[in-house]
Amino acid sequence: MKRRTIQSPVSTLLTLALFGLLAMGACKSKKKVAPAPAPAPVEQPAPTPPPAAPKPSAEEVAVGKLENYFNSIAQSTNVDAANRTINEALGMFSNPQTPVLIVIHEENGIKDYDEPTTIEKYLHYLKDTKKNLNFISDIRLDGNGRVTELELRRKK
């Protein structure tokens, strides 16, 4: 038969301490972990606004207004309203006899024009036909911003 030896109290104590440490190491700590400090905000340059659209030239403004007048006259259902619009449009020209040239053909930079007309006759033509078949391809203004010459082309 084997004989049991009595273990020393020191080795028993060490064994218990080892188990205790292992048990405590396996348990999670009940202390709350402090959150890491938030990083300092990085200052970013203010976004640059998109570049402003360039202001339209006097010619572009005049073309826009005239195209609106032409469409309004051609689509007018009332003769009096068309005549009022014609009078407004004539105010943009240096005089009612301002030449209107209509390009009918262009080849190698050489333009062929329909018979020249005046702005007054052209506006009444729009009123009578109720069709705006042309667009403004060139415009000339005087120093006061009034139209002195108008070149039109057929819409495609």
Side-chain angles (χ1 to χ4, degrees):
M1 201 169 176
K2 271 189 171 178
R3 210 170 127 173
R4 264 179 141 184
T5 58
I6 300 179
Q7 295 179 346
S8 72
V10 175
S11 65
T12 307
L13 185 60
L14 284 177
T15 306
L16 287 175
L18 179 66
F19 283 122
L21 284 175
L22 287 175
M24 288 179 67
C27 292
K28 293 188 178 182
S29 172
K30 294 187 180 187
K31 291 182 183 178
K32 289 189 178 182
V33 177
V42 177
E43 227 178 274
Q44 295 180 355
T48 57
K55 289 186 177 182
S57 66
E59 288 85 4
E60 292 170 329
V61 171
V63 166
K65 286 181 180 180
L66 285 175
E67 290 287 352
N68 287 338
Y69 280 133
F70 292 170
N71 289 329
S72 178
I73 292 167
Q75 296 171 358
S76 180
T77 57
N78 183 338
V79 174
D80 291 333
N83 286 334
R84 281 193 302 273
T85 306
I86 288 172
N87 288 332
E88 282 181 42
L90 286 174
M92 293 184 64
F93 291 86
S94 59
N95 65 59
Q97 303 308 311
T98 300
V100 176
L101 304 171
I102 302 172
V103 177
I104 56 174
H105 181 71
E106 181 177 5
E107 189 172 325
N108 298 327
I110 300 172
K111 298 175 184 177
D112 291 327
Y113 297 99
D114 196 1
E115 181 181 343
T117 188
T118 65
I119 189 59
E120 186 174 37
K121 288 179 183 176
Y122 183 73
L123 293 174
H124 285 287
Y125 167 80
L126 289 175
K127 176 180 73 171
D128 295 339
T129 61
K130 299 202 176 289
K131 293 181 184 177
N132 183 15
L133 301 176
N134 301 308
F135 68 93
I136 299 170
S137 64
D138 192 22
I139 190 170
R140 307 264 164 89
L141 302 177
D142 64 10
N144 297 327
R146 295 189 180 269
V147 181
T148 58
E149 187 177 304
L150 196 59
E151 183 179 278
L152 306 175
R153 289 183 188 263
R154 177 76 65 168
K155 292 179 183 175
K156 295 186 180 193

